[in-house]
Amino acid sequence: MKYYSTRGKHSVNIQQAVLNGLADDGGLYMPAYIPQLPASFFENIENKSLPEIGFEVAKLFLEDSVPDEVLKEMIDEVLNFDIPVVPVHHNIYSLELFHGPTLAFKDVGARFMARLMSYYADGNSMKVIAATSGDTGSAVAAGFYNVPGINVYILYPKGKVSPLQEKQLTTWGGNIKALEIEGTFDDCQALAKQLLADEELQKHQVTSANSINIARLIPQSFYYFWAYAQLKKENKKIVFSVPSGNFGNLTAGLLAYKMGLPVDRFIASTNINNVVPQYLESGTYEARPSLSTVSNAMDVGNPSNFERMKDLFQEDVSKFREVISGYYFTDEETKATVQKVYKESGYLLDPHGAVAYLGLIQYQNEQQEGFNGVLLETAHPAKFIETVEESILEKIEVPEKLSAFGKKEKVATLFPVDFQQIKAFIKHN
Ligand SMILES: *Cc1c(COP(=O)(O)O)cnc(C)c1O
């Protein structure tokens, strides 16, 4: 199968799409067609393991570019932690995506991408660039740490990630370099795009690790099938609420849907960085500078994957509306929800999961009941300990995996928003 750029008709194979990250024309790669899963795949899906589902889905995208045994091993390694569907209360479930090494859903995509890239690079050296609003960087760092021949440059906005998130970005050493940028996440993202487009750097094989890379989206589609498999016996419609920033996770859900997964609706849940919910309402897309919120991994003013979504829906807002509803919520609503759900149901949401929960409840209030709502719980609450403790007025326990980062020494290089300085650093390090 070929992969084309959303900005042109230029096509490449999967190896090039993964190694390039971003297409030459600045567009994002999309599969030439969405592969379809046979009805038999869904008939006994409840008996399949997560790696089995992952293998069957991935195979359709990668075809014979990776031998079956290698792909199986890759997927077993990537998915070696639980992704449970946990009941919150009547009709509402949490798909817990945070049991990986950095306790955020991005572990799934980043680990798969690192292995796939390293396989396709076939021993050649590469420079991987990632802009992060928090969790991407640590998941990418964990995924690529010690992968031979690959250096990783993580650009993060100074003072705009939580203290523990910062430790998860800056304490790796080795092939992982942290660049602390005196700007916003949007500045980091714009710089990353500019670096990736730079002709001189391209001679050093630069590539992107952001959700613009198709290799992150493919594995993120697996867990929608997995959640469906867990809930299939209840024989109810399923609505997924996805706490969204760059909309990689939601786009992966749309891929699953277009491959045949029976989903009744997707909820695009955001904080006040609400360009997509506003687009769904007004039909006009207006990118804006991002605002800081307590769900900071979603502080994105111009979501990169919107370009893929437009492509999937032929730029037709009425087609978006057939499948997606959008809602957005303030920090006050988010914190009040963390508290309310904890007090009433004993389930502790993180701020991103709380935004997704609010989206489900709002949709439930506007529609008839009778569907199972699944919120994607994208991070462990302890990753946002300040906000969570302030919301529930209790101390929470920090998992050992996470506290271990806190004890290590931060190593980062500080930069103003200055393309030339950053480029020189990447070239020489
Ligand atoms: C990255 C992230 C999101 C947003 O995901 P996108 O795919 O960028 O929409 C939501 N929650 C958490 C915890 C994240 O790290």
Side-chain angles (χ1 to χ4, degrees):
M1 168 156 55
K2 288 284 181 188
Y3 285 76
Y4 63 86
S5 159
T6 48
R7 298 207 184 156
K9 287 299 140 214
H10 178 66
S11 294
V12 297
N13 61 22
I14 183 72
Q15 286 93 329
Q16 286 163 310
V18 170
L19 294 177
N20 294 350
L22 198 66
D24 292 346
D25 58 10
L28 278 66
Y29 288 114
M30 283 294 276
Y33 58 90
I34 309 292
Q36 298 298 300
L37 283 155
S40 59
F41 173 84
F42 294 104
E43 271 156 27
N44 68 342
I45 192 169
E46 63 274 28
N47 301 323
K48 296 184 208 276
S49 68
L50 176 59
E52 281 165 357
I53 290 174
F55 175 79
E56 284 188 61
V57 173
K59 181 77 190 160
L60 294 176
F61 287 101
L62 308 181
E63 296 176 323
D64 293 329
S65 66
V66 182
D68 284 1
E69 320 76 71
V70 177
L71 183 59
K72 280 207 176 106
E73 199 183 302
M74 242 182 228
I75 287 180
D76 283 347
E77 267 176 44
V78 169
L79 299 175
N80 69 353
F81 50 85
D82 278 353
I83 303 189
V85 176
V86 178
V88 177
H89 56 71
H90 183 61
N91 286 350
I92 304 284
Y93 295 86
S94 169
L95 177 62
E96 293 188 347
L97 297 165
F98 57 73
H99 297 281
T102 71
L103 293 95
F105 83 92
K106 293 190 176 76
D107 281 326
V108 177
R111 282 150 66 86
F112 185 75
M113 177 177 60
R115 284 161 180 78
L116 199 59
M117 228 179 227
S118 159
Y119 181 79
Y120 289 152
D122 200 18
N124 294 311
S125 74
M126 293 187 71
K127 291 178 186 282
V128 171
I129 294 174
T132 185
S133 55
D135 289 335
T136 302
S138 50
V140 166
F144 280 101
Y145 183 56
N146 276 342
V147 173
I150 299 187
N151 276 319
V152 179
Y153 304 85
I154 293 168
L155 281 64
Y156 73 96
K158 178 180 162 73
K160 296 195 170 59
V161 302
S162 79
L164 205 55
Q165 274 180 328
E166 184 174 38
K167 286 285 178 113
Q168 286 188 295
L169 299 173
T170 58
T171 57
W172 294 88
N175 64 330
I176 312 293
K177 332 257 176 206
L179 284 69
E180 184 176 12
I181 309 295
E182 293 176 305
T184 62
F185 170 65
D186 292 332
D187 293 324
C188 295
Q189 188 147 275
L191 282 164
K193 279 200 169 176
Q194 211 181 341
L195 292 162
L196 290 161
D198 187 79
E199 277 183 28
E200 199 187 344
L201 281 182
Q202 279 173 0
K203 295 195 192 97
H204 298 264
Q205 286 297 329
V206 286
T207 192
S208 161
N210 280 99
S211 53
I212 53 180
N213 197 308
I214 190 75
R216 277 185 55 189
L217 290 195
I218 294 169
Q220 285 175 201
S221 71
F222 304 165
Y223 41 70
Y224 291 90
F225 294 100
W226 174 243
Y228 170 80
Q230 309 306 296
L231 294 172
K232 189 182 162 199
K233 59 179 180 302
E234 298 197 12
N235 218 357
K236 277 192 192 162
K237 291 178 182 169
I238 293 195
V239 173
F240 283 104
S241 180
V242 188
S244 296
N246 262 322
F247 283 80
N249 227 354
L250 186 64
T251 304
L254 293 172
L255 288 180
Y257 169 72
K258 299 230 166 191
M259 293 177 85
L261 182 69
V263 178
D264 201 56
R265 186 156 278 271
F266 290 94
I267 313 290
S269 300
T270 74
N271 57 35
I272 54 168
N273 295 284
N274 60 354
V275 291
V276 173
Q278 283 196 332
Y279 167 75
L280 289 164
E281 196 173 317
S282 70
T284 313
Y285 179 83
E286 273 172 86
R288 289 196 306 263
S290 61
L291 301 165
S292 294
T293 74
V294 295
S295 48
N296 64 33
M298 311 198 293
D299 295 351
V300 182
N302 189 12
S304 50
N305 279 290
F306 189 69
E307 199 155 323
R308 283 200 171 101
M309 294 166 75
K310 270 195 311 195
D311 196 76
L312 285 168
F313 294 117
Q314 292 96 43
E315 308 208 15
D316 179 348
V317 71
S318 61
K319 289 191 175 142
F320 272 82
R321 288 174 182 145
E322 283 166 18
V323 184
I324 309 175
S325 299
Y327 303 108
Y328 63 93
F329 304 95
T330 63
D331 281 358
E332 282 59 45
E333 291 170 306
T334 305
K335 287 190 270 187
T337 296
V338 172
Q339 185 192 39
K340 182 168 183 286
V341 174
Y342 182 64
K343 294 283 179 272
E344 290 178 4
S345 311
Y347 190 85
L348 189 58
L349 292 159
D350 98 292
H352 305 78
V355 168
Y357 174 89
L358 279 163
L360 276 180
I361 298 302
Q362 183 143 342
Y363 181 68
Q364 215 175 32
N365 291 341
E366 289 176 10
Q367 305 290 320
Q368 303 132 310
E369 290 250 346
F371 63 84
N372 273 332
V374 179
L375 65 98
L376 273 58
E377 184 39 292
T378 46
H380 191 289
K383 288 198 90 164
F384 300 92
I385 193 162
E386 294 84 359
T387 303
V388 170
E389 289 186 341
E390 189 193 308
S391 304
I392 63 170
L393 303 170
E394 272 179 39
K395 291 276 171 211
I396 63 169
E397 221 176 290
V398 178
E400 168 60 28
K401 258 192 237 173
L402 204 53
S403 54
F405 283 102
K407 296 178 195 125
K408 295 186 194 152
E409 190 77 23
K410 163 182 167 182
V411 181
T413 313
L414 188 64
F415 290 97
V417 180
D418 181 322
F419 173 70
Q420 291 304 338
Q421 280 186 45
I422 296 167
K423 174 180 160 181
F425 178 87
I426 291 177
K427 212 169 108 182
H428 299 295
N429 283 275

